[in-house]
Every structure is written in C-alpha cells, then in structure tokens.
Amino acid sequence: MSLLLGPVLRHVGATTAQVWVQTEHSAIVEILGCSAPTFEVQGFHYAVVPVQGLTPDSTTEYEVRIDGVKVWPEPDSAFPPSVIRTRGPESAYRLRAVFGSCRYPKTGDEKLDDKLGHDALDCYAQRLTELPVDQWPDALILLGDQVYADELTPDARRNLAGRRSGRRTSGQRPPDEVVSFGEYESLYRHTWGDPEIRWILSTLPTAMIFDDHDIRDDWNTSAVWRKEMNAKPWWRDRIRAGLASYWVYQHLGNLSPAELSADDDYRKVLTAESDTWPHLSDLADRADSEVDGDKGLRFSYRWDLGRSRLIMVDSRNARILDSGDRKMLGDREFTWLEDQVDEGLDDLDHLMLGSSLPWLLPPALGDIQTINEIGANRKGIRGRLAEKIRQTADLEHWAAFLQSFLRLTNLIVAAASRASADEGGPATVSVLSGDVHHSYAARAVVPGSTSARVHQLVCSPVHNYVPLAVKPVFKLSWSPRAARITRRLARHSGSPDLPIEWRNLSGPLFGNTIAALNTAGRKAEVVFEQPSKAGDLVEVARIPLTE
C-alpha cells in the first residue's frame, strides 16, 4: 500500500495535531494510535488524521501506517525522524515562525533552474537536518502561490499534452494550464514531492493560504476580469478543480481537529460511499459565488500560538466584485476578522495577520493603485483604459480596494492602540505577506500614543525570479519624493487622506528569500535570509520590531 504524498503536518495544538496524506488506494491511515479513513476524489485518495492525546510542550516522533503497514519514514531515509512538537505553558512566550510565498518547483531544465536559483525553502530544510530539534521553528507559514497552475514547468506541459491527446475537450482548454482535478493532483504531487520539501512539510506545523497562481494569474482582479473568464468554455471546470483541490490539499489542514469535525462539508465527504467529486464541485460553486454580498465559504482561519496569534485572511476568493460593491472581503467575513482580532486581545503579546497580498505597498505604488481604482469606476473610455491598465499591471492589492484598505487599517490601528504601559494588549501587530516578488519590512506610524509597533513584513519569492526591468520600479516606488507626488495625485483623483503613514525599514530585497518572525516575551524581530551561490542561507537583514 503506497503513500503517494505527505505526510504533511498541519495544525498543531497543545494536545492535538492534524496530519494530511494522499494514498494510492482506499485505506485506513494510522499515526500514533489514531486513525482516519481515506475519502475519494475522482479516483484519488486522501486522509486527515486527527492525532489526539499528545502532551503539551512535548516532542514526539511519529510513523505513518496504511492498513497496518509502515510507509513513513521511507526505508533508508537520510532525513531525521518526523516529529510533532506541541505548544504549552513553557513555549507560550516564544515563537519562531518562518514565512514566505511564491515557490516555483524545480523544473529539471538546467538552464531554467539556474535562472530560478536555489530554492530558499529547500535550503532551509537542509539546514534543519543539521540542527537539534529544539532549534527548529514552531510554524511554517506559506502565503500563497504554493503551486503554479498557469505557469507549468516544461515537463508538466509535456505531460499535460499527453494526458489530453485525443480527448474531445483538448482543443477547448489552454495548452499550458491545468484545468481538471486530476491535472491539479499531478501538479501538487510534483511541487510537494521534492524530497527536502516533503520532509520539512512532515515535521513543521504548516499554515497555508492561496494566491492567484494557485488558480490563475490575476484571479478575481475585478468584475470585468470575472466576466471575461466566465465566458471561456473551460473556466467553470477550472475554477471548480482549483477550489476543490485547494480545499483538499491546503484548507483542510488549516483547521483544528475540533473545527474540522464540526465542518458540514467534511462530514459529508467522510460519510460518502464513493467518489466525493459531486459534493466538492458543489462546494467550489458555493465558494466562488456571491450571495447577498458575501461568499458561500470562508477560507480565512485563526491559529493561537501561545501568547501570539495568527489570523490568516483570504484576500483572493473572499473578494466581492460582481455586485458592484468592490471589497476585498465581504461584510460578514470582515466582521469575523474583527471578532478574531478583538477576542482576548489584551492577553496577546504579538498579533499576526497573514494576507497573501501586502496591506502596505511602497507608498507611491499604493497610491497608483488607488488612483487606478477610482479611474476604473468611471464610465466610458477612461474607465475602460483604467481597467486595461489594472489587469496588465496587476493593480489589485489592498490599496486597489480602498474601502477595504481603510477598514483593515482602522482595525489594525485599534488593535495597536490597546497596548498600554502596563503591557496589556499586543506589543506588535504584523501583517505577513508575499506576492510582489521582492521582500521588505515597513513600519507604520500609528496616530496617537501607543507602545505597540505596527509592521508590514513581506517575503517573496521563496523560489522564483523578478525581471530586471521591474526592479527599478520597486526601488523608485519607495522614494519619498515619488510618494509626495502620487499622494497629491491621489487626493486630486478623490482619495481621502490616509489614516497612517509608513516607512521602509529594510529592502527592497530581490532574490529567493525566506523570513522568520522571532518573539521572546514582548520583544520581536524579523530576519531575512537568502541562498548563497553554494546553497547555504545567508542573513541579509535583521530588523528589531519592538524598538
């Protein structure tokens, strides 16, 4: 009985853990005396094993058994044993969270792999094999573009052509993009099957959220984009496969055992007697559709990590566009976010908001996106031109959803303002993001008196590249002079004054990068590292967040 992919260690609490696997056949999967049956999607088989009864602040080696046969660790593995490290009172006041986004897989093409450079997460995995377990991170946060469904490797394109050869639908589908669930399955197996990546995912609790390339470049940029894509004969198949595969491969493990067991969709999948694709197809339709100004499924979630909290925000699928009331999140989901921030806030030392898209861009670039949104709302040729520019230049971050940007800013300012001299409320509020293919740390200047520090921390890409022509644009967009010019233009276009200002502390950093947010009590820092030519990780920036 074969283990095709995984194990992937996902949500870990004080006494519980979630472990995700993909198996070759229907089976019972067992880990540390706990078991779960697989469920089937179009002939593929998956399980999420809820491991219970662990000890707080413990480290436990684990094996995976399928129908009683040990399948992990693999025979003669060169990697250390996979472990589950729980949190508890002893670890409540410290956290080491590694984060990044945009990881393109190895291609097997020597020239292309040289262009991409060393994979920063791969290098990080190699480092961990040489460190004691107690020096490993407490969490790995992947902030989007875990797979590239629309930018396939040369081998993947050839395999895709072979799969579609002779099929009646082959001419109706893009030749170099995945469309079906089976094609997504092949993509995930290729991307997560790299030995170093497979091992690190088996031993670090991993939180995930998607970005556009997990579905398609510029996904949900605007109502016009959605209308254009919905007119394509293959798009309905694509969005169903993309959202269903995301739910299976990424979303399920983001939930705790208690949250997952209470999930109606998961219960229906587990009790199905055969292929669950009809239900997942319906699930994807609900997730994609707008009903009364909200989406039918919430992919945002929360992890409590001692006296730190991570709230991961879905800034792609949660967008409201079709109704004409353009928002990054619907009102119901934004209210959920506000409730998660507010609950027990005074007992937190550090609050982290994960969003694949940066909240704070370089100021000039943010103003340009706001100006573009205002222009695209106009009728006639000016509106059509602004829309064309929006799609061409990827102007669809938080600043391009001004209503939502202001609401998020007010939420963050309110959370930071709860900090007081007697150390109630968080000492730091950090937004962790990716997407923009350069890395930086920016500090927001919050009005009023507060001891809390507010930051935008961006790490992108983990393994990809930036065209040379783009680099000077990012550098210029951090220029104070450029910011003054674009702010005047934004006000002239109708933008209100912004409630905060922000400045760059480090960056822009170009190249493959991995970052770590480290906390100890109420102190925090962020560290950016990049692979050297030899493949070792080299520190390129270390920024205190509480000074």
Side-chain angles (χ1 to χ4, degrees):
M1 189 66 65
S2 177
L3 180 67
L4 294 184
L5 195 59
V8 182
L9 181 61
R10 302 302 309 279
H11 182 281
V12 174
T15 61
T16 64
Q18 299 276 52
V19 182
W20 178 98
V21 298
Q22 180 180 351
T23 65
E24 186 176 8
H25 302 292
S26 175
I28 300 295
V29 183
E30 181 182 348
I31 298 172
L32 295 174
C34 302
S35 63
T38 58
F39 60 91
E40 178 184 348
V41 185
Q42 293 192 0
F44 305 104
H45 303 271
Y46 308 91
V48 181
V49 181
V51 180
Q52 311 272 2
L54 298 170
T55 302
D57 286 313
S58 66
T59 299
T60 307
E61 294 183 12
Y62 73 91
E63 299 174 344
V64 179
R65 295 181 180 273
I66 295 179
D67 287 341
V69 178
K70 187 174 81 170
V71 295
W72 186 270
E74 295 179 317
D76 303 320
S77 172
F79 296 98
S82 300
V83 301
I84 299 173
R85 300 169 64 220
T86 57
R87 299 191 62 80
E90 295 178 9
S91 57
Y93 290 87
R94 60 165 175 79
L95 178 70
R96 182 185 295 114
V98 176
F99 65 97
S101 79
C102 310
R103 180 183 170 267
Y104 197 75
K106 294 186 180 74
T107 70
D109 182 307
E110 184 176 348
K111 185 176 181 180
L112 182 53
D113 283 338
D114 285 345
K115 183 178 182 180
L116 290 167
H118 291 288
D119 183 334
L121 186 58
D122 197 313
C123 296
Y124 199 89
Q126 289 283 7
R127 172 194 284 176
L128 291 192
T129 64
E130 302 170 2
L131 292 177
V133 174
D134 61 4
Q135 294 183 26
W136 292 0
D138 304 291
L140 172 62
I141 303 171
L142 300 180
L143 292 159
D145 294 344
Q146 273 69 264
V147 293
Y148 280 76
D150 57 340
E151 294 182 9
L152 304 181
T153 67
D155 276 350
R157 286 197 297 270
R158 286 190 289 269
N159 292 337
L160 186 65
R163 290 168 65 98
R164 293 181 182 171
S165 179
R167 297 186 182 182
R168 288 183 298 174
T169 58
S170 61
Q172 301 174 3
R173 295 180 171 183
D176 55 354
E177 300 182 33
V178 301
V179 172
S180 69
F181 186 92
E183 291 167 357
Y184 263 103
E185 186 273 342
S186 180
L187 182 62
Y188 273 102
R189 261 215 278 170
H190 172 60
T191 305
W192 289 2
D194 176 270
E196 288 78 12
I197 300 304
R198 191 173 181 184
W199 175 76
I200 197 172
L201 291 179
S202 78
T203 204
L204 293 186
T206 304
M208 302 182 188
I209 197 69
F210 45 23
D211 200 26
D212 55 346
H213 289 287
D214 294 80
I215 304 295
R216 195 175 199 263
D217 188 27
D218 299 338
W219 176 36
N220 283 347
T221 290
S222 64
V224 172
W225 186 94
R226 281 177 63 87
K227 183 177 180 180
E228 291 171 351
M229 294 308 299
N230 280 322
K232 297 183 183 296
W234 48 270
W235 178 249
R236 184 48 43 191
D237 290 338
R238 169 64 165 279
I239 194 65
R240 283 173 174 164
L243 289 172
S245 63
Y246 174 78
W247 188 85
V248 170
Y249 282 85
Q250 299 193 49
H251 178 66
L252 291 180
N254 290 326
L255 306 181
S256 70
E259 290 170 327
L260 193 55
S261 66
D263 187 276
D264 287 339
D265 290 309
Y266 186 63
R267 284 203 297 261
K268 290 177 182 177
V269 163
L270 281 188
T271 56
E273 296 181 356
S274 58
D275 185 2
T276 61
W277 174 249
H279 179 70
L280 293 187
S281 178
D282 172 71
L283 177 152
D285 285 344
R286 284 187 282 118
D288 183 53
S289 301
E290 292 180 22
V291 178
D292 298 329
D294 280 288
K295 289 295 182 69
L297 205 65
R298 191 187 76 236
F299 290 120
S300 301
Y301 60 93
R302 164 180 152 186
W303 282 17
D304 285 332
L305 302 162
R307 290 182 63 86
S308 296
R309 175 177 297 164
L310 168 67
I311 304 173
M312 194 75 90
V313 181
D314 167 17
S315 51
R316 276 293 173 186
N317 187 72
R319 297 178 179 191
I320 303 304
L321 300 166
D322 295 341
S323 65
D325 189 14
R326 180 178 167 87
K327 297 176 182 177
M328 188 68 85
L329 308 177
D331 288 338
R332 185 172 66 241
E333 186 152 343
F334 223 123
T335 299
W336 173 89
L337 172 60
E338 291 164 339
D339 290 343
Q340 303 310 303
V341 169
D342 187 65
E343 183 181 333
L345 183 64
D346 290 340
D347 296 324
L348 293 180
D349 289 329
H350 305 281
L351 174 64
M352 299 173 288
L353 302 180
S355 167
S356 64
L357 302 170
W359 161 54
L360 299 180
L361 288 165
L365 185 56
D367 280 331
I368 288 170
Q369 296 210 19
T370 298
I371 293 168
N372 176 265
E373 182 190 32
I374 294 170
N377 286 334
R378 293 174 176 164
K379 298 184 181 298
I381 189 170
R382 293 179 66 183
R384 292 193 297 273
L385 178 59
E387 176 63 35
K388 185 175 180 61
I389 293 172
R390 171 157 61 193
Q391 294 192 31
T392 302
D394 294 345
L395 306 182
E396 36 90 36
H397 297 76
W398 282 92
F401 290 75
L402 184 59
Q403 177 184 175
S404 299
F405 173 85
L406 294 173
R407 186 171 179 179
L408 179 62
T409 301
N410 290 333
L411 173 61
I412 291 171
V413 168
S417 299
R418 292 274 283 274
S420 61
D422 61 359
E423 298 190 348
T428 67
V429 181
S430 301
V431 180
L432 313 182
S433 303
D435 179 69
V436 290
H437 284 214
H438 71 288
S439 301
Y440 60 90
R443 175 171 291 171
V445 180
V446 178
S449 60
T450 173
S451 60
R453 299 291 193 180
V454 178
H455 297 90
Q456 170 70 73
L457 307 176
V458 175
C459 182
S460 166
V462 168
H463 187 227
N464 214 312
Y465 64 92
V466 182
L468 289 175
V470 175
K471 295 181 180 180
V473 175
F474 286 138
K475 290 179 179 179
L476 177 63
S477 61
W478 279 110
S479 160
R481 182 178 181 183
R484 289 193 294 271
I485 294 171
T486 57
R487 184 87 291 261
R488 285 198 295 268
L489 292 173
R491 290 195 197 97
H492 181 73
S493 298
S495 169
D497 289 334
L498 301 182
I500 61 168
E501 296 179 348
W502 59 99
R503 60 185 177 87
N504 191 10
L505 297 180
S506 180
L509 302 170
F510 298 106
N512 296 335
T513 309
I514 195 79
L517 176 62
N518 304 321
T519 75
R522 293 181 65 79
K523 294 185 179 296
E525 66 176 9
V526 64
V527 180
F528 294 93
E529 296 181 283
Q530 295 182 336
S532 68
K533 290 183 179 180
D536 299 324
L537 285 173
V538 178
E539 182 180 311
V540 292
R542 181 182 295 264
I543 304 102
L545 301 180
T546 46
E547 293 181 358

